[in-house]
Amino acid sequence: MSYQIKERRTCKVSGKEFPIIENELNFYKKMDLPIPDICPDERQRRRLAMRNEFNLYKRKSDLTGDEILSVHSPDKKYPVYHSSEWFSDKWDAMDYGRNFDFDRPFFDQFKELWDEVPKLGLLVLGDNENSDYSHDAYRLKNCYLTFDGEQGYDCMYGETFVLVKNCVDFFQLINSENCYECLRSEECYNLYFSAFCNNCSDSYFLRDCHGCRDCFGCCNLRQKQYYILNEPYSKEEYFEKLKSFQLNSHTALEKLKESAEQFFIKYPRKYMHGLMNDNVIGDFLYNCKDCYECYDCAQLRDCGYCTNCVLTGNDSYDIDIWGDRMSFCYNSAGCGAGAENIIGSLYCGFDSHDIYHSAFCWKGCQSLLGCSALMHKKYCILNKQYSKEEYEKLFAKIKEHMKHTGEWGQFFPPELSNFAYNETVANDFMPLKKEEAIQLGYTWKEKDPHDYKKQSYSIPDRIEDVKDDISDAILVCDKCEKNYRIEPSELKFYRKHKFPIPRLCFHCRHQERKKLKNNRKLSSRECMKCSTEVLTTYKKSQPELVYCESCYLKEVR
Ligand SMILES: [Zn+2]
Ligand SMILES: [Zn+2]
């Protein structure tokens, strides 16, 4: 892959200049796509702003009137169905079909369809057991408030995961068990308050450690046991010292968190996180080759500007979440499971191909343009059926029309988002103030006073002093003042592991974890040891010691 900058353009949304690199340019040519006039950041903002991942509401199904949980708040004007209803034959998305009008822009016409077609209450593709409070997550059992993942068992409060068991409060956890407050870790067991670890167990407050067990407050260690603050202890001393940390007390735990961060900051960081990569630029990349500005991705080849695409994918640009046998996809969110040639679409996949500017079209769909909520369909435009010949003729004509209006290859504009900006993952990764969001065409959700009742309960400092009645209490988040609850199973977990009751709501806990990761923004700087130039997400203003790979590897022990 060549990352040579071939030209620079000015973004029509942000007014900022952005580069077009050689491979990207070749991709656009191959895919017959116009060179974008919106910068990668603003393209990503549009995609993320179509996804509400964490805010669940109680509302009625517009098909049955039953009470359901949904990412769509009850005030929305469009119909919302429970996933079991949405995927049933009780309704037909083709009833919403319409003709294309060449006197009008495409997105105006798609919006009219989009506003009428029923929406999925929660994105659930079957197979979940006793896990009603989960969205965009599959093959779950006994999970509560888990999002964007698969194969979770007895887990609570987690985002982005594969194969996790008995984990609470986690973000980006793979194949791990009994973990609490962990971030971007893999193959870990009984690991707590830790980040960026592999194969670690029975440990607390680890950062960038691999293969460690029985360690406390350590950084950059490999294959160590009985270490505290990077110093070796005997087994007996280790467990004696461990007792003194008082992890059962909220006050003590907060102090530990603070001093752990102060300790970690003294140790160098590698300029990027990742393993087994070849010629990549970005952060948190694993088994990737020839990838440009990708973040939180695994097993990608020849891709650019992708985020959260795991499993496998190749020759794709501007894709957020999913992956899994994705190829030749562009500017789409939620794209995978054998998705091929998907352009400007939202949640299209499962062996679907040649899908353009469509949303929620699944299961072997092919040759669709401007469609929504279709399954096993082909040759449709705006949910209307055509013959193969009619489709091809009309498709070519509309594509020309859309190239002319500047719409071809664009993702859905802000006014098509079903969600307020501050309900979406866009605000998570690219936070805006209300005025800024509105300026860009997004909407904003005001606080609901019902969620801000006064605290009726004083939380004891030590978990041992907490009574069962805490599960009935309304608690108030120390940070955002929103109400939150402690589920009985959650209380059981804290008691079992002897951790105090959290004082922040789920959202704020999630935000605190996320803070440990840098923003997805690269800048060029020098390795602070050898002065080699590196592209890194560590801004110059950050206090971390940033090293190139070879200097970093000399530091790990
Ligand atoms: Zn909060
Ligand atoms: Zn160096």
Side-chain angles (χ1 to χ4, degrees):
M1 167 166 293
S2 162
Y3 301 138
Q4 200 196 338
I5 294 171
K6 293 305 262 187
E7 62 171 281
R8 289 182 189 278
R9 298 210 146 201
T10 304
C11 172
K12 70 171 186 183
V13 177
S14 68
K16 286 184 195 146
E17 206 183 65
F18 66 100
I20 306 284
I21 61 159
E22 187 173 353
N23 256 58
E24 186 188 355
L25 200 61
N26 295 341
F27 175 81
Y28 297 139
K29 272 186 205 147
K30 192 160 45 183
M31 300 283 286
D32 189 25
L33 285 162
I35 299 170
D37 50 11
I38 297 180
C39 69
D41 279 357
E42 294 304 326
R43 299 200 300 265
Q44 189 186 36
R45 191 193 304 282
R46 287 189 174 187
R47 296 189 302 268
L48 298 182
M50 290 289 274
R51 289 173 42 224
N52 165 16
E53 205 80 359
F54 313 108
N55 298 283
L56 306 187
Y57 306 94
K58 283 196 173 122
R59 59 164 294 149
K60 292 229 169 358
S61 156
D62 290 294
L63 190 69
T64 59
D66 294 346
E67 181 141 299
I68 60 167
L69 270 169
S70 174
V71 287
H72 304 279
S73 53
D75 57 315
K76 306 289 187 199
K77 300 222 163 44
Y78 47 80
V80 176
Y81 296 174
H82 186 272
S83 63
S84 63
E85 302 159 6
W86 195 89
F87 282 107
S88 76
D89 54 10
K90 289 179 189 148
W91 68 287
D92 188 355
M94 296 299 279
D95 292 345
Y96 299 86
R98 59 204 62 207
N99 292 322
F100 187 80
D101 179 354
F102 283 93
D103 292 328
R104 300 173 58 202
F106 166 83
F107 285 126
D108 285 6
Q109 299 179 62
F110 181 80
K111 187 177 188 306
E112 288 165 5
L113 171 76
W114 180 238
D115 286 346
E116 288 175 32
V117 173
K119 303 285 174 287
L120 255 169
L122 294 177
L123 184 46
V124 177
L125 297 156
D127 295 353
N128 286 351
E129 210 178 303
N130 187 30
S131 304
D132 293 343
Y133 286 75
S134 292
H135 169 63
D136 200 1
Y138 324 100
R139 296 162 79 185
L140 308 179
K141 197 175 171 185
N142 305 329
C143 287
Y144 179 72
L145 293 177
T146 50
F147 307 93
D148 184 20
E150 61 172 275
Q151 300 180 70
Y153 312 98
D154 304 306
C155 290
M156 303 180 95
Y157 308 115
E159 189 208 348
T160 316
F161 57 89
V162 185
L163 257 175
V164 287
K165 212 172 156 185
N166 284 316
C167 293
V168 175
D169 271 303
F170 56 93
F171 178 39
Q172 298 181 325
L173 208 50
I174 299 165
N175 205 4
S176 293
E177 206 173 323
N178 289 335
C179 294
Y180 177 55
E181 281 290 359
C182 285
L183 168 64
R184 184 50 247 186
S185 293
E186 219 167 317
E187 315 267 344
C188 291
Y189 186 85
N190 291 348
L191 182 67
Y192 314 106
F193 312 103
S194 297
F196 320 132
C197 291
N198 275 39
N199 275 297
C200 291
S201 60
D202 303 297
S203 297
Y204 306 80
F205 298 102
L206 300 190
R207 187 70 54 87
D208 289 295
C209 288
H210 294 188
C212 293
R213 51 193 290 212
D214 301 305
C215 288
F216 189 101
C218 294
C219 188
N220 292 343
L221 294 191
R222 304 288 182 264
Q223 320 290 341
K224 296 285 187 286
Q225 192 175 12
Y226 310 128
Y227 271 62
I228 297 174
L229 302 177
N230 281 21
E231 296 296 334
Y233 283 77
S234 74
K235 185 180 170 184
E236 293 67 32
E237 287 170 337
Y238 175 83
F239 284 109
E240 204 47 49
K241 193 118 171 89
L242 193 60
K243 270 188 232 156
S244 71
F245 291 125
Q246 293 181 296
L247 290 154
N248 59 336
S249 147
H250 170 73
T251 319
L253 184 64
E254 289 307 297
K255 279 189 192 137
L256 281 170
K257 280 183 194 171
E258 216 184 292
S259 38
E261 289 304 324
Q262 286 165 3
F263 177 76
F264 297 149
I265 205 77
K266 295 188 281 193
Y267 289 83
R269 309 289 155 90
K270 194 169 98 174
Y271 73 102
M272 72 169 284
H273 289 86
L275 283 170
M276 315 278 281
N277 296 309
D278 180 9
N279 191 31
V280 298
I281 292 177
D283 207 0
F284 296 99
L285 299 177
Y286 303 85
N287 283 300
C288 290
K289 189 174 185 293
D290 299 322
C291 290
Y292 181 76
E293 282 241 31
C294 291
Y295 300 91
D296 300 298
C297 290
Q299 302 184 62
L300 294 189
R301 299 280 177 279
D302 300 302
C303 290
Y305 307 117
C306 291
T307 64
N308 287 79
C309 287
V310 289
L311 305 168
T312 56
N314 63 278
D315 299 277
S316 296
Y317 277 76
D318 281 86
I319 308 293
D320 301 303
I321 68 161
W322 205 2
D324 185 15
R325 292 174 295 124
M326 156 189 91
S327 56
F328 299 100
C329 294
Y330 174 66
N331 209 4
S332 297
C335 192
E340 193 182 328
N341 194 26
I342 310 274
I343 292 173
S345 294
L346 174 69
Y347 285 113
C348 291
F350 295 104
D351 299 311
S352 294
H353 59 90
D354 307 302
I355 313 287
Y356 308 93
H357 305 286
S358 295
F360 294 93
C361 292
W362 311 99
K363 299 184 181 179
C365 279
Q366 56 165 293
S367 306
L368 306 179
L369 169 60
C371 291
S372 180
L374 300 189
M375 277 175 279
H376 310 291
K377 289 277 188 262
K378 51 185 173 184
Y379 312 124
C380 300
I381 296 170
L382 294 175
N383 283 27
K384 191 179 167 185
Q385 184 70 59
Y386 294 91
S387 72
K388 184 174 185 282
E389 293 70 30
E390 287 168 338
Y391 174 85
E392 280 165 2
K393 228 168 113 183
L394 191 55
F395 172 82
K397 220 175 138 192
I398 297 175
K399 185 173 169 181
E400 274 319 300
H401 173 81
M402 288 178 72
K403 279 186 174 178
H404 187 72
T405 57
E407 293 170 297
W408 188 255
Q410 304 275 15
F411 193 70
F412 305 110
E415 57 272 23
L416 268 89
S417 176
N418 290 142
F419 309 107
Y421 190 80
N422 53 339
E423 280 180 299
T424 67
V425 277
N427 202 44
D428 234 24
F429 286 98
M430 315 166 98
L432 292 178
K433 294 193 179 78
K434 179 185 169 181
E435 301 71 37
E436 296 167 329
I438 287 166
Q439 177 94 45
L440 285 170
Y442 299 99
T443 56
W444 194 262
K445 192 175 178 68
E446 301 296 344
K447 285 180 178 178
D448 181 348
H450 289 102
D451 297 335
Y452 295 84
K453 294 189 190 93
K454 280 221 166 84
Q455 186 149 321
S456 61
Y457 191 92
S458 166
I459 309 173
D461 186 61
R462 295 166 357 122
I463 184 68
E464 290 82 354
D465 302 328
V466 177
K467 307 264 182 335
D468 288 350
D469 65 356
I470 194 170
S471 298
D472 307 320
I474 293 169
L475 306 180
V476 174
C477 171
D478 274 356
K479 196 173 146 204
C480 75
E481 297 181 338
K482 198 176 176 179
N483 294 138
Y484 70 106
R485 284 166 45 84
I486 302 295
E487 295 294 314
S489 52
E490 190 182 348
L491 179 61
K492 216 170 122 187
F493 179 90
Y494 300 136
R495 281 177 173 162
K496 185 183 161 198
H497 295 279
K498 297 193 171 61
F499 293 134
I501 300 292
R503 308 299 168 105
L504 301 182
C505 72
F506 156 67
H507 284 256
C508 290
R509 278 160 16 219
H510 177 70
Q511 287 304 335
E512 289 295 306
R513 276 191 297 279
K514 229 169 200 174
K515 269 190 200 163
L516 295 179
K517 295 181 77 185
N518 294 334
N519 287 336
R520 291 165 170 174
K521 194 92 209 134
L522 290 171
S523 58
S524 172
R525 57 183 283 182
E526 287 177 354
C527 165
M528 289 164 81
K529 184 101 180 173
C530 76
S531 302
T532 300
E533 197 185 315
V534 288
L535 273 173
T536 177
T537 55
Y538 289 102
K539 290 194 295 255
K540 281 198 180 101
S541 57
Q542 283 179 242
E544 286 89 348
L545 293 165
V546 180
Y547 283 16
C548 71
E549 181 152 20
S550 65
C551 290
Y552 174 79
L553 289 175
K554 283 175 205 147
E555 294 287 327
V556 298
R557 292 194 285 146

